[in-house]
Amino acid sequence: MKLTILGCYSATPRTFTNPTSQVLEIKNHLFLIDCGEGTQVQLRKYKLKFSRIKHIFISHLHGDHFFGLPGLISTFRLLGRDSEMHIYGPKGIKQAVTLLLKLGDSWTNFPLIFHELESKDSELLFEDEKVSVRTVPLEHRVYTNGFVFHEKPAPRTLDVEAAKRLGVDRSQFNNIKNGSDGVSNSGETIPNVKLTSDPPKPKSYAFCSDTSYHEPIVPLIEEVDALYHESTFLETESHLCAKTKHSTAKQAAQIAQQAHVGKLILGHYSTRYKSLELFREEAMQVFPNVALADDGKTFEI
């Protein structure tokens, strides 16, 4: 599982910072999470293949989280894309995007499928045999969701040499990987644990931006390997959180601590601060394993 930060600053883009967007590579999927202005430029800059993106998750309809989407869709059209694209986002996203495309007489030549969201409860958005994606309802000025990505448990790892040594025929290997016992050439039952080893622990990642301090999300993100949580302000400006429905670095750390996550990744910084290290220092007073997102930075989860 690999996370690439395309942009992680709040409000408007600058020449050296970009609004929110990131790519999660997981089990051969390339998921795009939010799509602020300049996302397609960042995708090119960091050599991420456009064609592999088939699912886009938009947290909410503030411009710094989705204004890059119409341009990205138009670029897919110009590049001759023919495979379908799924977009998951709040109700209204279809109207917002399709109106621009229609006014410009530039409707796509590929299937564009919108999944509009209204529920204030967590719901399953995507699932295949390897990955599931659920919403994490957040508390912001407009309807907003985070997203939690879970790998599914892999089959047990077959010990081929042990199977040969114990006289188990190859025709049984698939069943053994799926948990069945083996049978030797002499008819003896060989317990599965003697023929396999545990697979790697499934990984998980949660994305939470934008939101005020919101404890109800804790059960939904509990024990994820990595949590990206917005930290727009420091505690010195905590009085702004009630008005803007954003969080401080300390509050993000409190959520990480309660959820027992593996790593906290901070982002969505207000550009009023001169040093990102201030965010890390504040969060580490509450939670020890803190990383700072920055444009172009990657995380192996």
Side-chain angles (χ1 to χ4, degrees):
M1 188 183 290
K2 181 180 178 181
L3 178 70
T4 301
I5 306 296
L6 302 178
C8 62
Y9 290 80
S10 65
T12 59
R14 299 182 293 174
T15 56
F16 53 95
T17 64
N18 292 270
T20 302
S21 185
Q22 51 187 244
V23 169
L24 183 68
E25 188 169 1
I26 172 175
K27 296 294 186 180
N28 294 320
H29 290 289
L30 209 63
F31 292 139
L32 181 64
I33 309 169
D34 275 352
C35 190
E37 292 177 67
T39 291
Q40 61 177 309
V41 176
Q42 294 292 89
L43 286 166
R44 292 182 185 275
K45 182 176 180 180
Y46 298 112
K47 297 180 172 57
L48 295 164
K49 292 185 178 180
F50 281 44
S51 60
R52 290 187 57 200
I53 298 174
K54 298 180 180 179
H55 302 270
I56 300 175
F57 301 88
I58 302 296
S59 62
H60 64 295
L61 296 183
H62 280 163
D64 57 333
H65 294 261
F66 92 106
F67 276 178
L69 187 56
L72 180 62
I73 292 170
S74 295
T75 295
F76 279 130
R77 173 180 176 271
L78 292 172
L79 293 176
R81 182 187 180 101
D82 56 13
S83 60
E84 65 185 28
M85 172 70 73
H86 292 262
I87 297 174
Y88 308 81
K91 184 177 181 180
I93 191 169
K94 180 178 180 179
Q95 180 184 5
V97 172
T98 56
L99 178 60
L100 289 174
L101 297 176
K102 288 177 181 178
L103 290 175
D105 194 23
S106 56
W107 190 246
T108 66
N109 50 358
F110 59 91
L112 187 58
I113 303 166
F114 288 91
H115 305 262
E116 294 199 306
L117 310 176
E118 298 182 82
S119 176
K120 294 185 178 180
D121 297 319
S122 178
E123 57 183 328
L124 181 68
L125 298 185
F126 172 82
E127 184 175 34
D128 64 10
E129 68 279 3
K130 294 183 178 180
V131 178
S132 68
V133 185
R134 299 190 67 90
T135 58
V136 179
L138 300 176
E139 184 69 24
H140 194 40
R141 300 194 308 278
V142 297
Y143 176 76
T144 305
N145 284 302
F147 307 101
V148 60
F149 303 80
H150 284 282
E151 290 182 348
K152 293 186 177 180
R156 294 181 63 80
T157 302
L158 178 68
D159 186 339
V160 176
E161 293 304 317
K164 291 179 178 179
R165 187 174 64 253
L166 293 169
V168 176
D169 187 76
R170 295 180 61 87
S171 62
Q172 303 178 54
F173 283 3
N174 281 337
N175 289 335
I176 291 170
K177 285 192 291 184
N178 289 323
S180 298
D181 293 334
V183 179
S184 70
N185 294 331
S186 62
E188 178 186 358
T189 298
I190 311 296
N192 186 273
V193 293
K194 291 187 176 182
L195 299 169
T196 62
S197 59
D198 291 335
K201 179 179 176 291
K203 296 179 180 179
S204 52
Y205 171 65
F207 168 88
C208 295
S209 184
D210 299 1
T211 185
S212 58
Y213 179 76
H214 193 52
E215 289 185 356
I217 71 174
V218 168
L220 302 176
I221 62 173
E222 196 161 16
E223 296 186 350
V224 296
D225 292 284
L227 164 66
Y228 176 96
H229 194 291
E230 76 126 280
S231 54
T232 306
F233 302 114
L234 297 176
E235 281 295 304
T236 50
E237 282 71 46
S238 61
H239 60 281
L240 297 175
C241 291
K243 176 183 178 181
T244 62
K245 295 289 187 178
H246 284 299
S247 299
T248 66
K250 180 180 178 180
Q251 290 171 339
Q254 290 170 334
I255 292 293
Q257 181 188 56
Q258 293 174 55
H260 308 289
V261 307
K263 174 184 287 188
L264 170 63
I265 304 172
L266 299 177
H268 201 265
Y269 320 105
S270 168
T271 55
R272 71 184 64 214
Y273 303 106
K274 294 183 179 180
S275 172
L276 298 186
E277 282 299 322
L278 297 172
F279 291 86
R280 191 206 308 266
E281 291 169 5
E282 181 172 287
M284 287 185 67
Q285 295 174 18
V286 176
F287 185 80
N289 193 6
V290 179
L292 296 173
D294 207 354
D295 296 3
K297 195 170 185 178
T298 61
F299 296 90
E300 296 287 345
I301 299 172

